[in-house]
Amino acid sequence: MSAKPKKAINLKQIYRQLPRYQKLLVLVLALYLSFVTLLGLLIPSIAEQQLPIQLSETLKRPVSLKDVSINPFNLHVSLTELHIFEEDNTKFTGFAALNFELSFWHSLINGAISIKDVTLTGPYLLAERLSQTEGAEFNFSDIITEMTNTTTSAPSEENPATLPHIMVERLAIVSGNLNFIDTLTDSQLSYPDINLDIKGFDTLTEISNQQNAANRFSIRLQGKNGGEIATQGQLQLSPLNITGSLQLKEIALPEFWSFISEEFQAHLDTGKFNFSTDFALSMSETSVEQPLILTTSQGQFALKDILFTHENRPLISLPLFAAENIALNLSQQQLQISRLYSEKLTLDGHVSAAGLDLVPLFMPNFISTKTKEPGDTQAAEVNTETSTPLPKLAVIDEPSVETASTWSAIIDKVELKEFDIKVTENLASDNTQWQVSPLNLTTGKIYSDLRSPVQYQLDLAINSAGQFNASGELNLKLQRIESKISLEDFSLPQLQAYLSPYLNIQLEQGRLDAHGVVKASSIDDLVFSGDAAINDLFVKDTIQNKALLKWQSMTLSQLSLNQSKHLLSIDAIDFVKPYSRLIIAEDKSTNIGGLVIAQASDEANQERLAKSKQDKLKILIGKLGFTQGSTFFADNSLTPNFAASIEQLEGQVSQLSSTSTSPAKVDIKGKIDKYAPVTLKGEINPLLEMPYLDLALKFANVELTSVNPYSGTYAGYYIDKGQLSLDLNYQLEENKLQGSNHMVVDQLTLGERSDSSLATSLPVTLAIALLQDRHGVIDLGLDVSGDLDSPEFSFGGIILTAFTNVITKAVTAPFSLLSGIFGDSDALDSIAFGSGLAKISDSEADKLETLTKALTERPKLTLSVEGAIDPIADSQELKMHMLTQKLAQIGKITPDVMPRKLSASQFPTQGPLSDALISLYESEVGSKADEIKAQIMAKNEQDETQLSDEELNIQWHIALYNLVLNHQEVDELMLGDLATERALAVKAHLVDINKLEPSRIFLLDSRIDTNQGAQEAILTLGAE
């Protein structure tokens, strides 16, 4: 027998001889050693070999496992370097190490699977979205499909199994790595640092007690390019209940945008996303319709440093957009945000007939492609919808049979600060730049069900040349707005680009202010009430490049516009220092006639014109007032040119209406060339379809020397002296014009004859002699009439025709004018004298002869004579006489050599008189005569008028003569002596020449309280 069998027999004998308890100990020891050998050596070896094989068969991918170890003494299990590969041997998923330790005795005591520590180190996953040609959507789609098929083929249990009781002291994932690659968009997401930590995990623990420290978890994902996703809280599995908080910090948005960037033309260059919230997620055990209960609170959302570009052109820049204190209740379908806040958004866009250019840049390609398909009705509908800025709201109050539950959202406040919006407008102009910056908007509470109006405040600056403010409420449910608005210092030249295609004007200056209340529910239901003003307006016409219209201010008080009623009502329009300019060019065109640029007539314009006639605006203006107004008129078609101005324009037009039959009252006054008053009074209503007027226009004492260009061109003579007064009365009713004109010309004196080819052939000097009375006055009455509907009607034409008829009658039938002059008491009640003279002329001697005959035939009549003067004409003549004497004395000229008639227009421009005039001017006025010439030259250069040396010399001597003449002084004593001398001259002629008895002639005192009615001797009859 060998040694080994003997040894085995000995062992058996020894075992049998052992006591019972020792036998049990030996048995337990043998089992333990077998367990250790099995668990520590055999199972790891089998697992290390079989696990990769089984996983490879299941996943259809190569699998490798470096090591499996089990500590049989503390039941610590460790798996290292498990890797699952793709078919091309690139890593798909795996981990560096998995370690966990079973708590055997703890499991027995608690009746649960108890694990002391589970740590997964270095797990990774490379997920990839494949190209469509490879047949699968993701590189793990086949795994999901296989698992789904396996699950479907397996028999399902009628009752779901309850959760096993598992307790894990600590569960951790350390340094995980997740990569996602999208081959379709060539995009990638990478989170190389993923960590998870769960402490005191128990599948059956309830966390209703906030002090319970079980099932606390913490998860953190760190992005490769920055950004962090983290969540922490407490977890309950049955029933599901998770409470905690979630944070997303500095998430780089371009990484995510790259997945959809091919669908958009706009490119997201920069941008970060932040989000944090507290949340509670649980399963409802009672509600089947809403099994999931989710609530969030104290949520914070922010987008930062957003920048969209296109072809290196910045489109939209948004430094910050934030939502604060977000609260969500999924079961109640409620969302509440305490504040939406955004600041310093910058937008740069172009608007044309195709719309805003930013819209297609942010429109997905599949939508834009669809809208461009020809003949596609749906595409047209999509295009219409996308181009509609404000879609119609659904009818909220209308009940439905089956009302689905809807979400309700409340935003307590919206704040937009310092927005900068730049738009290049190419729709109604040629690339006009508009910038709205800064734009600030604040709103009150906003409800998604639109239960109450939204209060708001808006302020913005327009091109840094105008400030707009608005505050009020917006009723989205009724689609109605009511707001207080204010527009201040809006620069009107910004609108030049919109006026240039239609008007030949240049808005050089002007500011618009408006304040009021706007109420509107649509563009056709707009009501505005308030005040407006345009200040410092200055408009030039681009044809002559000169001022056309300007004013210091135009104020519109209590302005009211009602679009639905087509009514515009203004209580008062007040102009301060208005100025207008009317110029007739050399070709007789006017700066007014060429203002409007002719537009091509098309169907759209015809439709707009028809609609404007149909919806004609009714206008009511309480008062149209003028203060310190002026107007300038120049006629450059004449030689020399004519210019005049109406200044100190004051007055008003009251109660203008386009609907009322009651006319407006007109009361306006002014002065022509500073001295001659002009008034306009009456009634007018130009806003009616058939205008009405009844106006009286009066000009008083207009110096006729100012119209020399007209008299020289059309009458054939220049005027040396004279004044014009006009009373014009016109009535227009039912397009029928009736008018009467009263013209008075005082002291008209003709000068040199002109060489005008347009001069009348009538004997002008004879007409003046026949029409001018003994006081030097021409008094004419002209009645005119016309039909405005006649194509041959001309307002100036009918007046010219009436005036020509009067002149023609005077020169063709002069005796009819003189008939009855003898024996007429009015013709003999005064004896006229020349200006500054007390000498009876031959014509007045004839009148005295007739008077002598009358007095001789009536011996009981007495005659009183009172001298009278014309303070203006006589003073002027006395001045001329004084001036003539001084000039003769200085020039050493004898009276017989002096010119017979010396006036400003006929003054010699060279010789002794010229030298004397220059010397007298410098001695009496006290300044150099050459300064006057320089002033004349400067004025002509300013008016762009070229003068010859002779014309300049003539104007210079005229100016010197008038200045020296005005420097002469005539006192009241000299005028009184002249009046007395005139009375004595009449009596002397009647007594000495006509041989009347001196006792019948009485001289009245003419020195004290001198009569200043005219340059004459006033005769009155009395009885003895």
Side-chain angles (χ1 to χ4, degrees):
M1 183 176 291
S2 64
K4 289 184 178 180
K6 288 182 178 181
K7 191 175 181 179
I9 295 173
N10 291 334
L11 289 175
K12 290 181 181 180
Q13 291 176 354
I14 293 172
Y15 174 76
R16 291 174 181 171
Q17 294 175 1
L18 291 175
R20 183 178 179 83
Y21 75 92
Q22 291 182 355
K23 291 181 180 181
L24 291 175
L25 289 175
V26 172
L27 182 59
V28 171
L29 180 59
L31 290 174
Y32 180 73
L33 291 175
S34 299
F35 170 76
V36 169
T37 303
L38 177 65
L39 192 61
L41 298 175
L42 186 59
I43 292 179
S45 178
I46 296 173
E48 186 176 333
Q49 295 177 9
Q50 293 299 319
L51 186 58
I53 296 174
Q54 296 300 321
L55 286 175
S56 180
E57 291 179 356
T58 303
L59 302 178
K60 302 298 190 292
R61 284 168 173 78
V63 178
S64 68
L65 177 62
K66 182 178 181 180
D67 182 57
V68 177
S69 63
I70 301 175
N71 188 330
F73 303 104
N74 59 5
L75 299 182
H76 181 84
V77 180
S78 175
L79 285 77
T80 59
E81 300 296 338
L82 174 65
H83 302 289
I84 302 174
F85 300 91
E86 295 287 1
E87 294 181 356
D88 58 357
N89 289 325
T90 58
K91 290 183 179 180
F92 167 54
T93 185
F95 54 81
L98 172 62
N99 295 281
F100 59 89
E101 182 177 335
L102 295 173
S103 298
F104 177 77
W105 299 111
H106 194 272
S107 298
L108 291 178
I109 294 172
N110 292 280
I113 300 174
S114 180
I115 304 174
K116 185 177 182 181
D117 187 12
V118 178
T119 302
L120 180 63
T121 303
Y124 65 89
L125 172 64
L126 177 60
E128 184 176 1
R129 187 169 76 149
L130 306 175
S131 62
Q132 296 178 352
T133 58
E134 296 185 17
E137 187 174 357
F138 296 95
N139 62 342
F140 52 82
S141 296
D142 59 329
I143 300 175
I144 297 176
T145 302
E146 181 66 24
M147 294 177 65
T148 303
N149 294 336
T150 303
T151 305
T152 305
S153 60
S156 60
E157 298 180 1
E158 295 182 0
N159 297 320
T162 59
L163 285 175
H165 191 186
I166 301 175
M167 302 174 67
V168 180
E169 184 176 338
R170 183 175 182 269
L171 175 62
I173 297 176
V174 180
S175 299
N177 188 353
L178 172 63
N179 287 278
F180 176 72
I181 298 175
D182 188 348
T183 57
L184 293 179
T185 60
D186 195 20
S187 304
Q188 181 177 355
L189 283 178
S190 179
Y191 289 90
D193 188 10
I194 302 175
N195 295 277
L196 177 144
D197 190 12
I198 302 178
K199 296 180 179 180
F201 178 74
D202 190 334
T203 58
L204 301 184
T205 294
E206 296 184 0
I207 61 172
S208 58
N209 185 0
Q210 296 295 328
Q211 301 299 324
N212 189 352
N215 290 11
R216 297 283 180 177
F217 67 89
S218 174
I219 305 174
R220 186 177 68 87
L221 291 82
Q222 187 73 37
K224 179 181 179 181
N225 298 320
E228 178 180 296
I229 302 174
T231 180
Q232 50 276 328
Q234 200 169 12
L235 170 67
Q236 172 184 304
L237 294 182
S238 182
L240 179 64
N241 187 3
I242 306 174
T243 60
S245 61
L246 173 66
Q247 301 88 33
L248 287 81
K249 300 177 182 178
E250 302 297 314
I251 304 298
L253 293 178
E255 294 183 358
F256 295 90
W257 180 262
S258 62
F259 290 97
I260 59 172
S261 60
E262 293 183 356
E263 287 295 324
F264 299 91
Q265 299 180 54
H267 182 265
L268 179 62
D269 287 14
T270 62
K272 293 181 180 180
F273 169 64
N274 287 276
F275 178 73
S276 65
T277 186
D278 294 338
F279 66 89
L281 177 65
S282 60
M283 296 295 293
S284 173
E285 297 180 353
T286 58
S287 176
V288 179
E289 297 179 354
Q290 295 288 345
L292 192 64
I293 300 175
L294 173 64
T295 59
T296 68
S297 62
Q298 299 182 4
Q300 304 292 328
F301 169 89
L303 293 174
K304 297 168 57 179
D305 301 327
I306 302 295
L307 175 60
F308 282 100
T309 62
H310 177 64
E311 296 179 351
N312 297 323
R313 167 197 162 198
L315 302 178
I316 297 176
S317 174
L318 179 61
L320 177 61
F321 175 81
E324 300 176 355
N325 198 15
I326 305 170
L328 172 72
N329 191 314
L330 182 61
S331 60
Q332 297 181 7
Q333 296 183 316
Q334 292 181 351
L335 173 65
Q336 186 164 359
I337 302 173
S338 64
R339 185 175 78 145
L340 284 180
Y341 176 80
S342 183
E343 65 180 26
K344 297 182 179 180
L345 176 139
T346 300
L347 181 147
D348 190 355
H350 294 73
V351 176
S352 62
L356 182 63
D357 66 338
L358 298 183
V359 174
L361 299 181
F362 287 92
M363 184 180 296
N365 290 336
F366 72 90
I367 294 180
S368 59
T369 302
K370 186 175 182 180
T371 57
K372 293 179 181 179
E373 291 179 0
D376 191 346
T377 306
Q378 294 181 355
E381 294 175 355
V382 171
N383 189 28
T384 303
E385 292 174 0
T386 55
S387 63
T388 303
L390 292 175
K392 293 184 178 179
L393 297 177
V395 180
I396 298 173
D397 294 335
E398 184 176 337
S400 59
V401 179
E402 295 182 2
T403 304
S405 59
T406 57
W407 276 80
S408 66
I410 301 174
I411 303 175
D412 293 338
K413 188 177 185 180
V414 176
E415 286 187 64
L416 308 180
K417 289 188 176 181
E418 299 182 26
F419 275 31
D420 185 357
I421 300 176
K422 300 182 182 71
V423 175
T424 301
E425 189 275 320
N426 197 25
L427 184 63
S429 65
D430 186 12
N431 292 328
T432 301
Q433 303 287 333
W434 290 97
Q435 181 178 16
V436 177
S437 174
L439 181 149
N440 300 289
L441 172 67
T442 303
T443 74
K445 189 167 289 189
I446 301 176
Y447 296 91
S448 61
D449 58 1
L450 313 179
R451 69 184 71 167
S452 63
V454 178
Q455 305 294 325
Y456 78 96
Q457 290 183 340
L458 172 68
D459 64 86
L460 55 90
I462 306 172
N463 284 350
S464 300
Q467 183 70 33
F468 177 79
N469 299 279
S471 62
E473 64 178 29
L474 177 63
N475 193 322
L476 296 173
K477 187 173 185 178
L478 301 178
Q479 297 186 359
R480 182 172 181 82
I481 186 173
E482 182 173 348
S483 176
K484 293 181 180 179
I485 66 167
S486 172
L487 179 63
E488 296 180 353
D489 294 330
F490 178 79
S491 179
L492 292 178
Q494 299 176 94
L495 304 177
Q496 179 61 46
Y498 302 96
L499 299 178
S500 297
Y502 306 100
L503 298 173
N504 286 316
I505 65 171
Q506 181 70 34
L507 266 173
E508 294 286 342
Q509 187 177 326
R511 295 178 291 106
L512 171 64
D513 295 334
H515 305 271
V517 177
V518 172
K519 299 179 181 179
S521 59
S522 66
I523 193 63
D524 295 324
D525 184 16
L526 172 68
V527 177
F528 172 81
S529 58
D531 302 320
I534 297 178
N535 300 314
D536 300 326
L537 181 73
F538 181 35
V539 180
K540 290 174 63 177
D541 72 275
T542 56
I543 297 178
Q544 298 188 4
N545 198 31
K546 292 185 178 181
L548 174 67
L549 179 67
K550 62 181 179 180
W551 60 65
Q552 178 176 306
S553 67
M554 179 191 73
T555 304
L556 289 79
S557 304
Q558 299 183 30
L559 184 150
S560 176
L561 174 64
N562 192 313
Q563 187 69 18
S564 62
K565 296 181 179 180
H566 305 290
L567 175 63
L568 174 61
S569 173
I570 304 173
D571 182 69
I573 302 177
D574 293 307
F575 290 89
V576 177
K577 293 186 177 180
Y579 170 84
S580 61
R581 185 184 186 97
L582 176 62
I583 305 294
I584 300 177
E586 293 183 4
D587 59 358
K588 297 189 177 182
S589 64
T590 67
N591 59 339
I592 303 297
L595 286 183
V596 179
I597 300 175
Q599 302 294 315
S601 178
D602 53 21
E603 294 183 0
N605 289 333
Q606 295 296 333
E607 291 179 2
R608 284 193 293 268
L609 183 60
K611 190 177 188 302
S612 64
K613 291 182 178 180
Q614 181 180 0
D615 302 332
K616 189 175 182 180
L617 187 66
K618 293 175 283 187
I619 301 175
L620 300 175
I621 301 175
K623 184 192 74 170
L624 183 64
F626 306 90
T627 303
Q628 303 178 51
S630 61
T631 183
F632 177 80
F633 172 75
D635 191 343
N636 296 328
S637 66
L638 304 176
T639 303
N641 299 149
F642 169 75
S645 63
I646 299 178
E647 302 175 356
Q648 303 178 31
L649 193 64
E650 309 275 346
Q652 66 180 29
V653 180
S654 58
Q655 303 304 321
L656 271 170
S657 173
S658 63
T659 57
S660 174
T661 56
S662 300
K665 306 296 182 182
V666 179
D667 187 0
I668 300 174
K669 61 182 180 179
K671 291 185 178 180
I672 297 178
D673 292 333
K674 296 184 179 181
Y675 302 109
V678 56
T679 62
L680 178 64
K681 293 185 177 182
E683 298 177 340
I684 188 173
N685 199 336
L687 302 178
L688 295 176
E689 185 174 353
M690 298 186 69
Y692 167 83
L693 66 83
D694 185 356
L695 292 176
L697 177 62
K698 294 184 178 181
F699 296 89
N701 303 326
V702 179
E703 293 292 341
L704 289 176
T705 52
S706 64
V707 297
N708 259 328
Y710 283 101
S711 66
T713 301
Y714 300 111
Y717 290 88
Y718 295 111
I719 298 175
D720 276 351
K721 184 174 65 174
Q723 291 183 341
L724 170 69
S725 297
L726 282 175
D727 288 343
L728 309 178
N729 293 274
Y730 292 99
Q731 295 84 36
L732 175 64
E733 191 168 4
E734 295 183 353
N735 279 0
K736 306 296 183 182
L737 179 68
Q738 296 290 333
S740 61
N741 303 314
H742 183 206
M743 180 176 67
V744 176
V745 181
D746 189 15
Q747 304 302 318
L748 175 62
T749 303
L750 295 181
E752 293 182 355
R753 188 179 182 89
S754 70
D755 296 329
S756 173
S757 61
L758 300 177
T760 180
S761 59
L762 295 174
V764 176
T765 54
L766 175 61
I768 294 175
L770 292 171
L771 295 174
Q772 197 173 48
D773 64 12
R774 63 185 180 275
H775 302 295
V777 175
I778 299 175
D779 194 333
L780 296 177
L782 304 175
D783 294 330
V784 298
S785 63
D787 187 354
L788 267 66
D789 293 328
S790 172
E792 299 178 355
F793 175 82
S794 169
F795 183 75
I798 61 173
I799 297 177
L800 181 60
T801 300
F803 182 76
T804 302
N805 290 339
V806 172
I807 298 298
T808 303
K809 182 179 179 181
V811 298
T812 55
F815 293 104
S816 63
L817 291 174
L818 299 178
S819 62
I821 189 171
F822 296 105
D824 189 341
S825 59
D826 290 337
L828 300 175
D829 61 355
S830 62
I831 300 299
F833 290 88
S835 298
L837 301 177
K839 180 181 178 180
I840 296 176
S841 63
D842 294 340
S843 60
E844 296 300 306
D846 292 339
K847 290 173 59 178
L848 289 175
E849 182 67 25
T850 303
L851 179 61
T852 301
K853 293 178 182 178
L855 291 175
T856 301
E857 293 177 359
R858 289 168 177 72
K860 292 185 178 182
L861 290 176
T862 61
L863 180 67
S864 298
V865 184
E866 178 186 6
I869 55 97
D870 184 342
I872 297 176
D874 288 330
S875 295
Q876 187 74 8
E877 192 64 31
L878 289 176
K879 289 181 180 181
M880 293 174 64
H881 181 68
M882 295 169 61
L883 177 58
T884 301
Q885 288 182 337
K886 290 180 180 181
L887 291 173
Q889 182 179 359
I890 294 173
K892 298 179 181 181
I893 303 173
T894 58
D896 57 332
V897 181
M898 285 291 291
R900 187 175 181 182
K901 187 174 183 180
L902 192 64
S903 64
S905 64
Q906 297 176 345
F907 199 90
T909 59
Q910 57 185 357
L913 276 178
S914 174
D915 297 337
L917 178 61
I918 294 173
S919 175
L920 183 62
Y921 172 81
E922 293 181 346
S923 62
E924 290 195 353
V925 179
S927 61
K928 294 295 183 180
D930 289 338
E931 294 179 358
I932 301 301
K933 180 184 287 186
Q935 291 177 9
I936 295 174
M937 294 175 64
K939 184 176 183 302
N940 284 299
E941 289 178 359
Q942 181 180 358
D943 295 339
E944 299 180 357
T945 303
Q946 295 182 353
L947 296 176
S948 64
D949 293 340
E950 182 181 358
E951 291 173 334
L952 176 61
N953 210 17
I954 292 174
Q955 289 192 11
W956 181 39
H957 280 76
I958 291 174
L960 292 176
Y961 183 91
N962 289 330
L963 290 172
V964 176
L965 180 65
N966 292 334
H967 200 268
Q968 309 304 310
E969 294 182 359
V970 176
D971 57 20
E972 292 183 0
L973 180 60
M974 296 173 65
L975 293 174
D977 290 338
L978 177 62
T980 301
E981 291 175 2
R982 286 172 174 171
L984 289 172
V986 171
K987 183 173 183 178
H989 189 91
L990 290 173
V991 173
D992 297 335
I993 298 177
N994 294 345
K995 306 302 180 181
L996 276 177
E997 296 178 1
S999 60
R1000 299 186 62 186
I1001 304 172
F1002 300 91
L1003 294 179
L1004 301 179
D1005 189 358
S1006 301
R1007 285 187 177 90
I1008 300 175
D1009 195 17
T1010 303
N1011 191 314
Q1012 299 184 5
Q1015 50 195 48
E1016 60 186 11
I1018 302 172
L1019 307 179
T1020 57
L1021 291 173
E1024 293 183 353

